Amino acid sequence: MWVLGVLIFVIGLLFSIAWHELGHLSTAKLFGIRVPQYMVGFGRTLWSTKRGETEYGLKAIPFGGYIRMIGMFPPGADGRITKRSSSPWRTMIEDARAASYEELQPGDETRLFYTRKPWKRVIVMFAGPGMNLILAIVLFLALFMGIGIPRSTPTIESVSECVVPVSEKVDSCKPGAEKSPANAAGLRAGDTVLAFGGVKIHDYDQLQGLIRDSAGKHVDIDVQHRDKTTGTLHADIKPNTLPALDKDGNPIKGQTVTAGFLGITPATGVHHLSVGESTEEMGRMAGHGVESLTQLPGKIPGLWHAVVDGAPRAQDSPVGMVGAARLGGDVFAMDLPATQQLAFFVQMLAYMNFMLFLFNMLPLLPLDGGHIAGALWESLRRSAARLLRRPDPGPFDVARLMPLAYVVAGIFVCFTGLVMAADIINPVRIN
C-alpha cells in the first residue's frame, strides 16, 4: 500500500508538470511561436512522439518539464547569434542565445518568441504558473466543498478527570488531584454543547474561545446528551497553564498562557464548506504559502543539522518531491478511511500546485517570473521612449542576465539537493 501511495503522488506530480507546460504550449501556439519540443521531466527520454511540428515526450526524472520555443532571446547587438567570445561570462550569454536558435528553420523569422509584443510574452510565460494556480483552486474547492475537511465539533469525545497544567507534560492524575471543571459538572463523552454562558454554540473554535476567556467564572452549559435529552450543567472554569494559540487556533510551540480550562476533548467530524468559507480558507492557505516561501532561507540551518547531525526534523520543515511522495506512501499505509486518504492527497496536490505558482512567479531567471519581468521592463522602456520621442531601444536582451540566472539556478539546485537529502535521511513523519 505504501508503494501505491507513492505511485499515486508521482502520477499527480507528472500531471501537474504536464498541465503547467500545456499552459506555455497552448499560448505559444496561439501567438504563432514555433515550439519544437514539449517534455515532461528531465534527463533521458523514455518516450516521445511527433505531432505536427512539436515533439511530445516523457523523460526519466519527473522533477520538472519544459517546452522549447524558437528565439527566446534576441540576437546580440551586432546581430549575431553564434558564440564569439572566450570570456566565461560572455560565453554563458552567447551559449544561451545560440541554444535558442538551434532548431531555426526557413520561415521561422516571423515565429520567434522575442519578436512577439511584450504583453503576448507575458501571457505565454504566465500561462504555465497560471495553470498551476487554476488546478490548485479547483482541487481546493473539490476538497472543501466536495470531500470536506476534518473539523473539531462541539461534541465531546472525552472528559479530563483532573486539572493538569501543560507544563507538567503528563496525562495521568496525581492522587488527590482536583477534578476538572467538566468532570465536576457532569459532562460526559458524547455530550454536545449547545450553549456556553448563554451564548449559542456553532462550532468548537467558538466554544474554545469562550472557555479560554472565562477563567474564574461560574458558567451555565446547555448540553444535549448522547440519548438526545437536554439539560443545563454548571461549571466553575479554572485558570490553567495552556498552550498559546496563533490566529488560526493552532498551538504555538514553546509558548504558554494562563487561560480558562474546562477539560474536554472535542470529537472530529467532516465539515463541508460553503463557497464563501472555501474562498476564505483558500485565502488563509495562500497567506501561509507566501509566508512559507519568504521563510525558506531561515529553514536551511535546520535542514543542514537534520542531515549532518541527525537533529529532529521540524514539522514545518521544507519538503521536496521525495518527501512528499514518502508522506503520500505513509498516509496510504495507515489504517484510515478512504475519504481521509483521498482528502490528504487532494490537499497535498493542491498546495503543491499553489507553491509551484508562487515559486515560478519569482522575478528571477531562469524562472517564468524572470522572463515576465524582462518583458515588462522592455514594455516600460519602449513606452518611455515613445513618450520622450526618443529612438525605440528595441527588445530587452534577457540573455545578458544569464550569468545571474546560472547563479540563481545553482542556489536552487543546492537547496533542492539539501531538501532531498533530508527527505531521504531524516524525513518528516506524520504525527
Side-chain angles (χ1 to χ4, degrees):
M1 296 300 288
W2 188 88
V3 173
L4 181 59
V6 172
L7 181 61
I8 291 175
F9 172 79
V10 171
I11 292 172
L13 172 63
L14 289 174
F15 177 80
S16 300
I17 295 169
W19 183 249
H20 174 106
E21 299 304 334
L22 180 62
H24 291 313
L25 177 74
S26 58
T27 50
K29 287 183 174 289
L30 176 66
F31 295 134
I33 302 166
R34 192 165 77 84
V35 184
Q37 276 192 322
Y38 167 96
M39 291 288 169
V40 176
F42 298 113
R44 185 170 62 89
T45 300
L46 301 178
W47 168 87
S48 71
T49 183
K50 191 163 186 178
R51 293 288 185 270
E53 62 186 14
T54 304
E55 178 191 9
Y56 301 85
L58 180 66
K59 290 181 173 286
I61 305 173
F63 291 161
Y66 65 92
I67 67 167
R68 188 186 301 279
M69 292 183 284
I70 296 297
M72 284 290 292
F73 308 115
D78 57 2
R80 297 174 62 186
I81 60 174
T82 55
K83 181 176 178 181
R84 55 198 179 279
S85 173
S86 59
S87 165
W89 296 112
R90 291 295 308 172
T91 297
M92 291 182 188
I93 297 171
E94 292 161 7
D95 283 349
R97 196 189 315 280
S100 71
Y101 290 88
E102 276 182 351
E103 299 180 56
L104 188 67
Q105 297 178 357
D108 283 345
E109 295 79 8
T110 60
R111 304 187 64 189
L112 305 175
F113 176 79
Y114 86 89
T115 62
R116 295 303 179 261
K117 292 181 178 181
W119 67 268
K120 291 184 177 180
R121 278 179 274 153
V122 168
I123 290 176
V124 172
M125 300 314 297
F126 178 79
M131 293 290 269
N132 290 124
L133 180 61
I134 291 171
L135 182 57
I137 291 173
V138 170
L139 289 172
F140 276 132
L141 289 176
L143 172 66
F144 298 147
M145 301 177 66
I147 302 171
I149 57 176
R151 281 279 176 88
S152 297
T153 69
T155 298
I156 299 171
E157 181 176 288
S158 63
V159 175
S160 301
E161 293 185 13
C162 60
V163 178
V164 180
V166 68
S167 57
E168 293 188 8
K169 299 181 180 180
V170 294
D171 296 325
S172 58
C173 296
K174 296 179 180 179
E178 182 183 9
K179 283 187 176 182
S180 72
N183 190 10
L187 284 167
R188 296 293 178 262
D191 291 348
T192 299
V193 178
L194 304 177
F196 184 90
V199 179
K200 185 177 180 180
I201 298 301
H202 301 286
D203 54 53
Y204 179 73
D205 289 341
Q206 176 199 16
L207 175 60
Q208 184 182 48
L210 291 171
I211 294 171
R212 284 180 162 246
D213 293 339
S214 301
K217 296 181 181 179
H218 181 80
V219 179
D220 295 336
I221 305 175
D222 295 339
V223 300
Q224 181 183 65
H225 300 296
R226 190 190 295 270
D227 61 3
K228 304 303 181 183
T229 60
T230 59
T232 301
L233 304 177
H234 312 282
D236 294 312
I237 307 302
K238 302 293 183 181
N240 195 14
T241 303
L242 302 173
L245 304 179
D246 61 20
K247 63 180 183 299
D248 297 318
N250 300 313
I252 302 174
K253 185 178 181 180
Q255 296 186 29
T256 59
V257 295
T258 299
F261 174 76
L262 180 59
I264 60 172
T265 299
T268 300
V270 176
H271 181 59
H272 295 84
L273 305 186
S274 65
V275 174
E277 290 173 326
S278 298
T279 302
E280 183 179 342
E281 186 71 11
M282 282 190 289
R284 185 184 66 80
M285 297 190 76
H288 280 308
V290 173
E291 184 179 357
S292 298
L293 193 62
T294 59
Q295 292 177 346
L296 278 182
K299 304 289 186 182
I300 293 176
L303 286 169
W304 178 262
H305 289 302
V307 173
V308 177
D309 303 327
R313 190 90 178 267
Q315 287 298 306
D316 62 349
S317 175
V319 174
M321 300 307 177
V322 172
R326 292 188 69 153
L327 288 174
D330 291 344
V331 168
F332 222 78
M334 290 179 177
D335 185 20
L336 294 173
T339 52
Q340 289 189 29
Q341 293 174 334
L342 176 62
F344 177 86
F345 275 102
V346 171
Q347 181 171 351
M348 184 166 63
L349 195 59
Y351 194 72
M352 181 186 71
N353 273 273
F354 180 71
M355 293 305 295
L356 285 174
F357 165 75
L358 288 181
F359 182 74
N360 277 285
M361 289 304 296
L362 291 175
L364 299 169
L365 286 175
L367 302 176
D368 297 326
H371 290 283
I372 291 173
L376 292 175
W377 173 245
E378 177 184 323
S379 179
L380 179 62
R381 70 175 192 166
R382 281 184 153 178
S383 298
R386 283 195 300 270
L387 287 173
L388 298 175
R389 297 186 178 181
R390 293 180 178 177
D392 184 355
F396 174 63
D397 190 5
V398 181
R400 293 167 58 187
L401 300 178
M402 286 310 295
L404 176 62
Y406 280 110
V407 173
V408 172
I411 294 172
F412 287 160
V413 168
C414 291
F415 180 76
T416 301
L418 180 60
V419 172
M420 183 180 295
D423 287 341
I424 294 172
I425 298 171
N426 192 354
V428 172
R429 297 294 186 185
I430 298 176
N431 291 329

